[in-house]
Amino acid sequence: MAMRRVGRVKGITERKHNLVGYMFLSPLILVFSVFLLYSFYFLIRYSTTHMVIASPDVTPAGFSNYALVLSDRKFWTALLNTFLVSGADIFVGLTLGFLVSVLLSFKFRGRKFFHSLFFIPSMLPIAFIAAVFSSMLEYREGTLNNVFRFFRLDFLAQRWLSEPGLALFSVMSVAIYLIGIPIMYYIADLTTINSSVFEAAIIDGAGFWRLARFILYPLLKNAHKTIALSMLLGGFRQMERVYLMTDGGPGGATEIFGTYIYRMIRSPGSDYGIVSAAAVLILIIAFILAAVQMRFFRKKGG
């Protein structure tokens, strides 16, 4: 009986704490929900209509807009490129970001400087970073090609942003400059690990690579999940990165969802119904990916 009473009192206390938390968050949740639900309502409503900005007439279209988008080859190219850009961000974050965070966890002189050096670029506007990379990778006057030419390595100078085979690779290379956020997640998780784990491994003769690969990497699974999910969904918000570097070119080789939607809506006589249908499909894909990934990590963690 005493145990039941303790459990009941504990449950009531937890509910009270949760209630206080919900009360603090409720204004933000309310505002966020109103704008989010209205956006969904607007997109879904107009995705089944034909609506041109130059004309006030709105005519029903059923699901024909969705069929047009799904039959568009550029839509599937944008889908593939979005996954490739997200995949590059995830790969760089889970590898280079992990290694740098482990190195920064050691105590050495100048550690704070290097921590800031890797983290500050992630706080800069992505449009600024894309503009800088676009200038660096320009064929004639770009910094990278000029360095090659200075060292008499002219054969390495390439048209990084205008060759279909290199343009997407150049866009993905920006991920190396944006490892500050993965580093932040990893360092936050590293502080929760008991130092006795490292001491025992070092006593057993484990070197740096064994320590990082077989001990640290499995222990940081929560950071892996957060980084993978945030980078995957972040790939759907990389419009500035592609637009300012390649504008989706050459020939649509670097088109992603952001530039695909932007190109549709700025084209002459664009149909807002088709644009809305494309946006709804992108939202559905993003939600499905997030749900599948979270379920996969939950199973793997369990």
Side-chain angles (χ1 to χ4, degrees), residues 63-255:
F63 292 100
S64 62
N65 289 337
Y66 291 95
L68 284 172
V69 174
L70 291 173
S71 63
D72 185 3
R73 183 180 58 84
K74 292 181 180 178
F75 174 82
W76 297 105
T77 301
L79 175 64
L80 175 62
N81 290 340
T82 301
F83 286 161
L84 290 174
V85 171
S86 299
D89 292 345
I90 293 171
F91 177 77
V92 172
L94 296 182
T95 54
L96 185 60
F98 168 74
L99 289 175
V100 172
S101 62
V102 171
L103 292 173
L104 290 176
S105 66
F106 292 105
K107 293 181 180 179
F108 59 90
R109 183 174 295 179
R111 183 182 63 165
K112 291 184 178 179
F113 167 76
F114 287 105
H115 190 280
S116 301
L117 187 67
F118 285 108
F119 183 71
I120 288 176
S122 299
M123 305 301 294
L124 297 174
I126 190 65
F128 172 76
I129 296 171
V132 170
F133 267 77
S134 178
S135 176
M136 289 174 57
L137 298 175
E138 202 270 329
Y139 178 68
R140 293 186 180 277
E141 301 297 332
T143 305
L144 182 60
N145 284 345
N146 282 338
V147 169
F148 289 145
R149 295 183 185 114
F150 178 80
F151 289 103
R152 307 297 183 186
L153 300 172
D154 298 53
F155 66 95
L156 292 177
Q158 303 290 330
R159 299 182 183 275
W160 302 104
L161 301 177
S162 57
E163 287 288 337
L166 294 173
L168 187 60
F169 172 78
S170 300
V171 170
M172 293 190 293
S173 67
V174 179
I176 299 173
Y177 196 68
L178 300 174
I179 60 173
I181 298 299
I183 289 173
M184 181 186 69
Y185 287 130
Y186 279 128
I187 289 180
D189 255 21
L190 281 168
T191 58
T192 65
I193 299 175
N194 195 329
S195 60
S196 62
V197 175
F198 309 134
E199 294 169 2
I202 293 171
I203 291 172
D204 289 340
F208 173 78
W209 292 110
R210 286 182 176 273
L211 181 67
R213 180 181 176 185
F214 296 107
I215 297 175
L216 285 179
Y217 205 79
L219 288 174
L220 296 175
K221 61 183 180 181
N222 289 329
H224 302 331
K225 297 176 187 179
T226 305
I227 292 168
L229 183 60
S230 61
M231 293 295 179
L232 177 64
L233 297 181
F236 289 80
R237 303 190 304 271
Q238 294 290 343
M239 188 266 184
E240 305 100 319
R241 177 169 163 184
V242 175
Y243 179 72
L244 292 174
M245 290 185 70
T246 63
D247 193 18
T254 60
E255 196 87 273

Side-chain angles (χ1 to χ4, degrees), residues 23-44:
M23 287 177 66
F24 274 108
L25 290 174
S26 58
L28 179 62
I29 293 173
L30 180 63
V31 173
F32 183 75
S33 299
V34 167
F35 283 101
L36 191 65
L37 292 174
Y38 176 76
S39 300
F40 289 163
Y41 165 76
F42 177 88
L43 288 175
I44 293 170

